[in-house]
Amino acid sequence: MNKTSIKEELKELRQKIQHHNYLYHVLDTPEITDFDYDQMFQRLLELESQHPELITNDSPSQRVGGETLSSFTKVSHRLPMLSLQNTYSADELVQFHERLLNFLKGQGHFTYFCEPKFDGLAVELVYEDGVLIKALTRGDGVTGEDILSNIKTISSIPLTLSWNQKLPLPRILEVRGEVLMFKKDFARLNESIQLEGKNTFANPRNASAGSLRQLDPKVAASRPLRFFAYAPGIIDGLKLHSQMEFFQLIRDLKIPNAFDFPLGKDTSNTTDISDFDLYQVCKTPEDVVRYYRQMESLRSQLPFEIDGVVIKVNEFSIQDILGQVARSPRWATAGKFKPEQAETIIERIDVQVGRTGVFTPVAVMKPVRVGGVQITSATLHNQDEIDRKDIRQGDTVIIHRAGDVIPEVVKVVIEKRPIVSQPYKIPTTCPSCGHEGVQNEGEVAIRCINPLCPSVFKESLKHFVSRKAMNIDKLGSKIIDRFVDEKLIQSYSDIYLLKAGDILKLDRFGDKSVENLLQSIETSKNVDFDRFIYSLGIRFVGEQTAKTLAHSFSNLDQLLKAELDTLVSLEDIGPKVAQSIVSQFQDKIFVKEIKKLLSVGITLRYQEKTKTIHPAFENKSFVITGTLAVSRNEAAVFIESLGGKITSTVSKKTSYVVVGENPGSKAEKATELGLAILSWEDVLALAQ
């Protein structure tokens, strides 16, 4: 291929990847499989590794893996990011309307643009000549911090605008919006953090803000962050007349917004809200009140957290006349909802044991309704959280529905605490099997390390059959508990040996339900390699790590034999994760169970990999150190695609040491041993 055709292919790949990012992350309507997307992305990395001079700042490959920052740069907003005045009832919304009429004194007709008030972190995207150059936090409203390196990791945000309008591209386009997490994503994040023995986040907003405040962009990249635009800042070179026109513009530019998000698709609620418009233009205050009440009633069914609605004058010309009061716009108000909180009593604190053996304290409470849902329990996370809030059995507490329907203890009502109250300490023995718990150095969590613990096994099975793993949808949590108690299932492979006659002996199982269950099990036998890896429940191996492993190893046997150095060389797999994987595959009982799963009919679907063996790379070992023109993972994929082997330790057996900027001790050791030292340019030349 000549340089021109390569440029054209790269341009086309980047456009396609951005298009599919928008479909997946904004519209939630993917058109291609994860495998096809990965293949497309891999082709991009392959071309860019071969032609690093063609890598552009707006390439999807540049979203993840930037250098750790020492601090964020403070930048002034061209237009201050104002705070909204709050109202707390329908009556106050009517009063807001009357104040506007009194101020305008008949100067113009206006409508209201009504939208949800997201509970996240406000961010301003700054595009100059169609290129994203800054992303600023609100800060004090006048000056924010540039968190562009973290914002670029959110795949749905375009790095370059695709401008196909009849009007000229604005020289400056500032788009303000909210960075947030969906409730289901927040729950999964907390689960993974808890498995690592770390403190969990209190709510999605804290998780979003905490992710964006990290100086290492890789942390933000690992978090399920989303962005929804809601307002313009400065627009230089294009005249818009209303908030609705602004939304039409950003929709055309494919800047993520909740206008396009399909309601009712990703919620676990039974009520269909797909026909409800999250954004409405209201002509009268009565319409505004109706919208406010509808949103409050639907609040718990939305896939993201909101704490109210925002009511704005739709027409920009009227906004200009109204101006602002102090640091708040006169033309907008926030209709806040009553907090989804209630007061109840903690009757006792139980300890549950998860699939990795973590002890999780759970407050069992006197039943109380919060936001239309009856709450009877709430997780207390760990001992640090209990100590921080000083939560005790018998306490009267304020609870809040954080996340989806996940309740959280906000605070203790100290004045109602019983006189005989004692501080609570999590027991050190497993409540399920009596085994002594272990607390690893540097971890908050206490774990049961008994592999035969019934609770650990049940939770491991529930993970194994889950949707992102083996996807046995008919084998639910209660059925697993029962089958384990009845000794029908005592290992993963036992699931595939279940017989209809054995199940029908149990109460409340009929022919049809058993038929559906066995069909669901049979269907699960043909599974993608990455989903199978994820299903095994190896500690620290989540969905993304499983994908990395599946992409890096041609088959299961290769993965089972993988050495620590090889695993550490892979992107996003550090020493702790690599050691966990190696230790798990050194467990003979665990490996025997994996092979039994294959013997009972599970077939793994592998990604097709093309490898052109190059004589200069075949059976040669490479160590990469320092900062190259491409990421370490891209360099490793390129070298391995030609037959080379990546290791992390420099020794006499090392064939080549690839050295970039700031290489450190590995380069020094290579010099001492007299090894061949290559630059990235040398590697590319070697491949010719």
Side-chain angles (χ1 to χ4, degrees):
M1 294 177 67
N2 59 41
K3 187 66 75 70
T4 301
S5 61
I6 292 170
K7 284 183 178 179
E8 287 300 315
E9 184 178 356
L10 281 170
K11 180 180 179 181
E12 184 180 356
L13 281 170
R14 289 163 184 158
Q15 289 175 344
K16 284 183 177 180
I17 290 170
Q18 179 58 38
H19 170 70
H20 290 296
N21 280 338
Y22 181 77
L23 292 177
Y24 184 88
H25 294 288
V26 179
L27 301 186
D28 200 32
T29 55
E31 290 180 346
I32 61 175
T33 65
D34 288 348
F35 175 75
D36 290 336
Y37 179 88
D38 291 341
Q39 292 291 95
M40 192 184 305
F41 203 95
Q42 191 55 43
R43 176 59 178 166
L44 174 71
L45 296 180
E46 180 184 333
L47 286 177
E48 289 186 342
S49 67
Q50 294 170 0
H51 303 277
E53 72 280 3
L54 299 181
I55 297 174
T56 59
N57 289 331
D58 63 343
S59 172
S61 66
Q62 303 304 297
R63 288 186 177 275
V64 181
E67 294 298 313
T68 301
L69 305 176
S70 59
S71 64
F72 293 117
T73 304
K74 293 188 179 298
V75 179
S76 296
H77 297 288
R78 290 187 176 96
L79 188 69
M81 294 185 72
L82 304 176
S83 300
L84 296 177
Q85 295 180 340
N86 296 325
T87 56
Y88 290 92
S89 68
D91 288 343
E92 290 183 359
L93 289 175
V94 174
Q95 292 168 14
F96 166 71
H97 174 73
E98 291 173 348
R99 287 198 302 273
L100 297 191
L101 292 179
N102 289 335
F103 185 90
L104 289 170
K105 300 185 187 310
Q107 290 185 67
H109 172 75
F110 63 91
T111 57
Y112 288 109
F113 188 88
C114 304
E115 61 190 85
K117 185 177 183 299
F118 301 111
D119 194 12
L121 187 74
V123 170
E124 179 178 70
L125 307 180
V126 181
Y127 290 91
E128 291 190 3
D129 298 320
V131 178
L132 181 64
I133 64 162
K134 291 186 182 70
L136 309 180
T137 61
R138 179 192 297 275
D140 61 4
V142 176
T143 302
E145 292 180 314
D146 189 358
I147 55 170
L148 179 63
S149 56
N150 287 338
I151 286 296
K152 286 172 69 175
T153 68
I154 302 176
S155 297
S156 59
I157 296 177
L159 304 181
T160 302
L161 299 177
S162 299
W163 190 263
N164 55 7
Q165 312 292 309
K166 294 180 181 179
L167 298 172
L169 172 70
R171 190 180 71 82
I172 297 171
L173 174 63
E174 295 180 346
V175 179
R176 295 171 176 183
E178 204 87 357
V179 174
L180 46 80
M181 284 186 193
F182 277 20
K183 298 171 184 177
K184 62 175 184 177
D185 296 331
F186 169 70
R188 289 174 187 159
L189 174 65
N190 258 356
E191 180 185 4
S192 65
I193 290 174
Q194 191 173 29
L195 292 178
E196 295 180 14
K198 299 178 182 177
N199 285 325
T200 52
F201 289 105
N203 52 58
R205 186 188 189 284
N206 286 2
S208 301
S211 301
L212 290 179
R213 290 292 301 154
Q214 298 290 327
L215 293 172
D216 184 357
K218 292 186 180 67
V219 176
S222 69
R223 303 279 170 78
L225 298 172
R226 305 199 188 214
F227 175 84
F228 284 153
Y230 60 66
I234 291 292
I235 301 179
D236 182 0
L238 180 66
K239 181 69 173 178
L240 298 179
H241 300 92
S242 68
Q243 182 73 16
M244 179 57 84
E245 278 192 20
F246 166 74
F247 263 92
Q248 189 56 57
L249 173 67
I250 62 174
R251 292 170 77 185
D252 290 342
L253 295 177
K254 296 186 177 179
I255 296 174
N257 58 88
F259 223 125
D260 291 325
F261 188 80
L263 290 179
K265 183 161 187 173
D266 272 331
T267 65
S268 58
N269 303 280
T270 56
T271 306
D272 182 11
I273 59 174
S274 58
D275 290 335
F276 180 74
D277 291 330
L278 274 182
Y279 297 81
Q280 295 181 19
V281 174
C282 296
K283 296 181 178 180
T284 68
E286 290 77 21
D287 292 338
V288 170
V289 169
R290 190 178 302 111
Y291 171 82
Y292 169 77
R293 287 174 172 160
Q294 284 178 312
M295 287 293 286
E296 187 169 32
S297 67
L298 294 174
R299 175 187 186 185
S300 63
Q301 295 166 236
L302 297 175
F304 40 76
E305 288 279 8
I306 64 172
D307 56 3
V309 297
V310 177
I311 312 299
K312 304 174 181 176
V313 170
N314 186 33
E315 292 75 15
F316 289 158
S317 60
I318 303 298
Q319 289 184 12
D320 291 341
I321 295 172
L322 290 167
Q324 65 186 68
V325 181
R327 298 180 67 178
S328 299
R330 186 180 276 110
W331 43 265
T333 189
K336 300 293 288 288
F337 298 146
K338 294 177 181 177
E340 292 186 306
Q341 295 183 343
E343 184 177 290
T344 187
I345 297 173
I346 296 178
E347 296 179 333
R348 68 178 190 277
I349 297 176
D350 290 343
V351 174
Q352 296 178 350
V353 182
R355 68 180 176 88
T356 61
V358 172
F359 293 8
T360 302
V362 175
V364 179
M365 303 175 294
K366 184 176 179 180
V368 62
R369 294 190 71 80
V370 183
V373 176
Q374 181 165 287
I375 303 298
T376 58
S377 63
T379 178
L380 302 179
H381 301 295
N382 51 52
Q383 189 66 55
D384 282 5
E385 182 74 358
I386 291 173
D387 293 343
R388 185 175 68 84
K389 294 179 179 177
D390 191 18
I391 298 170
R392 308 181 184 185
Q393 295 184 115
D395 273 346
T396 298
V397 293
I398 304 297
I399 63 168
H400 168 73
R401 284 181 62 201
D404 192 354
V405 290
I406 304 169
E408 171 198 358
V409 174
V410 178
K411 66 176 182 178
V412 176
V413 184
I414 297 294
E415 55 270 26
K416 295 186 179 182
R417 170 171 284 169
I419 298 175
V420 295
S421 172
Q422 294 292 324
Y424 179 82
K425 295 295 179 184
I426 297 175
T428 57
T429 56
C430 176
S432 182
C433 68
H435 198 281
E436 190 68 22
V438 173
Q439 186 171 17
N440 295 328
E441 184 178 353
E443 291 190 358
V444 178
I446 302 174
R447 299 176 186 274
C448 176
I449 58 173
N450 175 16
L452 301 178
C453 176
S455 290
V456 172
F457 179 55
K458 286 179 180 178
E459 294 305 314
S460 296
L461 279 175
K462 292 169 187 176
H463 172 79
F464 180 80
V465 306
S466 63
R467 186 170 62 88
K468 296 287 187 179
M470 297 302 291
N471 193 25
I472 309 177
D473 59 342
K474 300 300 181 184
L475 194 55
S477 177
K478 291 183 179 179
I479 295 177
I480 285 176
D481 288 343
R482 192 170 181 197
F483 282 7
V484 173
D485 292 342
E486 297 286 348
K487 301 192 183 304
L488 287 181
I489 298 178
Q490 294 180 281
S491 66
Y492 294 153
S493 55
D494 282 347
I495 293 173
Y496 296 92
L497 299 174
L498 288 169
K499 305 295 183 186
D502 295 331
I503 303 174
L504 287 169
K505 291 177 183 178
L506 304 178
D507 293 338
R508 296 193 294 277
F509 279 98
D511 290 336
K512 189 61 178 177
S513 62
V514 171
E515 180 186 343
N516 290 339
L517 171 58
L518 294 179
Q519 181 57 49
S520 178
I521 293 171
E522 186 65 27
T523 302
S524 76
K525 286 183 177 180
N526 194 19
V527 62
D528 290 337
F529 188 27
D530 63 305
R531 292 167 69 100
F532 180 74
I533 296 170
Y534 177 62
S535 75
L536 297 175
I538 301 169
R539 193 177 177 202
F540 306 130
V541 176
E543 293 173 48
Q544 189 54 52
T545 302
K547 287 180 182 293
T548 298
L549 293 171
H551 179 78
S552 303
F553 296 94
S554 297
N555 54 55
L556 178 60
D557 285 339
Q558 280 191 7
L559 175 59
L560 293 176
K561 296 173 184 176
E563 297 178 355
L564 188 66
D565 285 351
T566 303
L567 291 167
V568 171
S569 72
L570 302 178
E571 189 77 4
D572 300 326
I573 297 183
K576 183 171 67 172
V577 179
Q579 185 58 60
S580 175
I581 295 168
V582 170
S583 298
Q584 193 74 72
F585 290 150
Q586 288 175 344
D587 185 328
K588 293 181 180 179
I589 296 176
F590 186 76
V591 173
K592 183 179 179 181
E593 177 61 16
I594 290 175
K595 293 183 176 179
K596 189 174 181 181
L597 282 167
L598 300 181
S599 72
V600 296
I602 287 181
T603 302
L604 303 181
R605 291 193 297 260
Y606 297 108
Q607 294 184 15
E608 294 183 11
K609 297 179 177 65
T610 57
K611 179 179 285 190
T612 303
I613 303 300
H614 193 292
F617 289 76
E618 186 175 7
N619 298 322
K620 298 293 194 299
S621 61
F622 291 73
V623 173
I624 302 172
T625 180
T627 303
L628 307 179
V630 296
S631 72
R632 187 176 70 177
N633 188 53
E634 292 171 69
V637 168
F638 177 69
I639 290 170
E640 289 175 336
S641 71
L642 296 174
K645 180 182 179 182
I646 301 296
T647 62
S648 62
T649 305
V650 176
S651 70
K652 291 181 179 179
K653 296 181 180 180
T654 302
S655 306
Y656 300 107
V657 178
V658 183
V659 176
E661 296 180 8
N662 304 315
S665 61
K666 291 181 181 179
E668 295 174 3
K669 188 171 182 180
T671 302
E672 292 173 7
L673 295 174
L675 301 177
I677 296 177
L678 305 179
S679 66
W680 180 240
E681 289 72 23
D682 293 333
V683 174
L684 296 176
L686 195 65
Q688 298 301 315

